[in-house]
Structure formats: structure tokens, C-alpha cells
Amino acid sequence: DAMVIQNPRYQVTQFGKPVTLSCSQTLNHNVMYWYQQKSSQAPKLLFHYYDKDFNNEADTPDNFQSRRPNTSFCFLDIRSPGLGDAAMYLCATSRGTGGKETQYFGPGTRLLVL
Amino acid sequence: RKEVEQDPGPFNVPEGATVAFNCTYSNSASQSFFWYRQDCRKEPKLLMSVYSSGNEDGRFTAQLNRASQYISLLIRDSKLSDSATYLCVVIVGGSARQLTFGSGTQLTVLP
């Protein structure tokens, strides 16, 4: 059974055209994360929500925004995608933010910017 | 210096071989350690947590050396299905949001 679902799996957008990526979870976890992973690189945390509490990483560009309308859903909005934003975007969830918490990842959305 | 460093490989080994990966971390305050596995174009999946006393799960053994700040993963009797990228993951402090990934070690098990 899918636990962390991401749609779409592949997204093509044009340079500068806003795009929204979607993540949903059936785990009822409190925390949802968005990561960016470029080819042959480690996933890089963009931001996370603990319930409705939004936590942005210091080096996340303003171009990236997020919304979490309810426990199950979280969206990543890229306001003006550039060529450098082409990457795999991974959503993850965890029950809490304690150091032992396991993060469960969705299958990712691969974004291509033309 | 990167916070979490891994040899990127690739490691190409024959089926049945034993292979070991090392990972070093720079922050001595790191508290939790994991190995994740990532298949090509797929999401990372937790392989195992790494405990101070070392732990084993079937063919996989993970060890932690806090004094030297490194973590290891040993895979015995490699299978073709073990081919993947293995990500070393470290949590600094007590917060899962401070989960830091290494860039991964690529393993290919050859028939």
C-alpha cells in the first residue's frame, strides 16, 4: 500500500512558468519534508512542516514555497522555475522530529525545465 | 569539508562477494546514523539504523566508530538485487530535520 504518494511522477515545465508538485500521505505523520536531489548528489532539504508550522532552510531560494492545507497533503510551489531547478523532488514524512525518527520517502517527482 | 563524506564508487563486485563501504562525518555532535538504499530513479529507502554496538540484519552489518567518526556497511554474499546507491545519513543534534545525506556510494553486483 502506498504510504507517501507524489504526483505527478514526471513534470515538464517551461522556464519561468510556475509549477506545483503534490505530496500526500496515508501515515498520519506530523512532519512532512521536501527535498531536492540533483543527479549524483545527496538529497537537500528545502523545508519541512511540523503540523502547520513551516520551517524553511536558510539556503532555500525564495523561488520555492510550500503549502500544507491539512495533515495529509503538502505542496511544493516553484514560482519561476529556472534551468537549474531541474531535479528530483522528494517528499518525506516522519511521525516526529526526534533524532531516531525514520523518514519515509515518496517516489519523487522528476522535474524537467525547458 | 562536506558534513558527510562517502566514496562515490562505483564498486563493481561479482555475485557472492563481500563488499564494505565507509562513511565519515564531520560533526562530533551527530547523534543518529542510518544507511539508506536508493535504486536508480527511485526514492531513498531506509536499509538500517546504525547503533553504537553495531548491528546486523541478515547479510548486512553496520558499525559505528564514534572516536574516528565513521560508519561502515558490510554486505556479505552480494546478490544482483543489491545493486543500488547506498546513502550514509547522519542526524546532527536531536532533530530529524537535521538529517544530512552523504552523496552515496554506487554498487553494481555483476553476474
Side-chain angles (χ1 to χ4, degrees):
Chain A
D1 292 333
M3 296 186 291
V4 183
I5 303 153
Q6 289 189 245
N7 286 304
R9 295 292 308 278
Y10 297 91
Q11 176 74 57
V12 181
T13 190
Q14 291 177 322
F15 183 94
K17 185 174 179 182
V19 66
T20 294
L21 308 182
S22 164
C23 177
S24 63
Q25 52 133 341
T26 59
L27 296 162
N28 204 32
H29 280 174
N30 296 314
V31 193
M32 295 185 79
Y33 308 80
W34 279 105
Y35 289 86
Q36 179 193 65
Q37 187 177 24
K38 296 189 177 179
S39 182
S40 302
Q41 294 184 24
K44 178 181 177 301
L45 182 64
L46 296 173
F47 24 59
H48 78 281
Y49 273 95
Y50 194 127
D51 293 331
K52 291 184 182 293
D53 219 12
F54 177 70
N55 299 272
N56 200 29
E57 293 302 299
D59 55 354
T60 298
D62 291 340
N63 199 23
F64 292 87
Q65 304 284 320
S66 186
R67 297 170 282 135
R68 189 179 186 187
N70 54 53
T71 301
S72 301
F73 285 87
C74 194
F75 300 100
L76 170 62
D77 299 309
I78 309 176
R79 293 194 295 194
S80 181
L83 298 178
D85 296 328
M88 172 81 95
Y89 290 88
L90 294 161
C91 175
T93 74
S94 65
R95 194 175 42 190
T97 56
K100 300 289 186 191
E101 292 287 352
T102 300
Q103 291 190 16
Y104 296 85
F105 285 83
T109 294
R110 188 166 291 279
L111 178 68
L112 181 62
V113 181
L114 301 176
Chain B
R1 184 185 169 187
K2 289 182 185 175
E3 290 186 58
V4 180
E5 292 209 56
Q6 295 182 249
D7 181 343
F11 285 63
N12 298 317
V13 303
E15 216 174 347
T18 296
V19 61
F21 309 134
N22 286 332
C23 165
T24 58
Y25 59 94
S26 60
N27 193 327
S28 58
S30 300
Q31 294 191 4
S32 302
F33 310 90
F34 307 89
W35 284 101
Y36 276 72
R37 170 195 169 129
Q38 187 171 26
D39 291 289
C40 188
R41 296 182 175 269
K42 298 282 184 70
E43 73 276 23
K45 289 185 178 174
L46 179 66
L47 180 65
M48 57 199 304
S49 303
V50 187
Y51 303 119
S52 297
S53 53
N55 48 300
E56 190 172 308
D57 182 1
R59 298 182 293 109
F60 298 84
T61 301
Q63 294 204 309
L64 167 64
N65 184 320
R66 284 190 185 273
S68 302
Q69 293 182 203
Y70 80 79
I71 308 142
S72 64
L73 177 68
L74 182 79
I75 306 175
R76 289 182 298 278
D77 188 23
S78 302
K79 311 289 184 197
L80 297 178
S81 57
D82 294 334
S83 299
T85 296
Y86 290 83
L87 299 164
C88 173
V89 179
V90 171
I91 294 181
V92 177
S95 173
R97 63 159 286 280
Q98 292 168 294
L99 191 149
T100 303
F101 286 84
S103 52
T105 298
Q106 188 181 339
L107 171 67
T108 301
V109 180
L110 304 168

